[in-house]
Amino acid sequence: SQQGEEDPQALSIQEGENATMNCSYKTSINNLQWYRQNSGRGLVHLILIRSNEREKHSGRLRVTLDTSKKSSSLLITASRAADTASYFCATARDNAGNMLTFGGGTRLMVKP
Amino acid sequence: DAGITQSPRHKVTETGTPVTLRCHQTENHRYMYWYRQDPGHGLRLIHYSYGVKDTDKGEVSDGYSVSRSKTEDFLLTLESATSSQTSVYFCAISATSGRSNEQFFGPGTRLTVL
């Protein structure tokens, strides 16, 4: 099974609404990262949150991390049609060297 | 795509043939990675490199080998392609260890093994 599991697998909202995606993981981590993938393209890094941080902001993005629950959430506020993409969380485990482990992703569709 | 190119972008091959995918970077980053992406599995790490001639296995390395003779090039070889290796392959780079910093991804190679 995967270290990171995103929930929901798919999300459809109207432009202007907020989108929340969740990620759960199983083992202790050094940090957790969120990436976006537009259809047919490579992944793009959005934000990194370290295990000693609880919340981080970047523009319209807000990420939270709860290490006691082994979960993270990504909130996109005031969504736009251009936010339509798949979003992946990736965890850097303490005992996994240089490796990131990616979840299965959440497919977000923002309708204009 | 952060100075990363992958070649070929698309390839169709037959079971049992060897296949080599190339990743080329112009960023002079130390770390390079090969992932495969399949529906329902997200991205899974195949191999990575932490310097010229320094490589290590990822979680799905069976059936794959890699080589890095120059900083800018990281080759992924499927010794004898199988249908289960049909996938989209992504190369990624990072300046420092990818576990503590962002990774930059290439555009991907879609490989079909018949």
Side-chain angles (χ1 to χ4, degrees), chain A residues 13-64:
Chain A
I13 60 174
Q14 293 294 134
E15 209 165 25
E17 293 180 340
N18 295 342
T20 299
M21 288 158 269
N22 303 297
C23 171
S24 61
Y25 56 92
K26 295 182 173 63
T27 63
S28 63
I29 61 171
N30 175 279
N31 66 75
L32 185 145
Q33 304 179 28
W34 285 91
Y35 287 79
R36 183 188 75 227
Q37 183 180 34
N38 291 91
S39 181
R41 305 288 295 275
L43 278 71
V44 174
H45 184 267
L46 295 176
I47 197 164
L48 181 154
I49 186 165
R50 302 191 188 282
S51 59
N52 61 352
E53 298 175 309
R54 292 297 167 258
E55 187 171 313
K56 212 164 181 182
H57 296 257
S58 177
R60 294 184 296 112
L61 304 181
R62 172 177 170 254
V63 170
T64 61

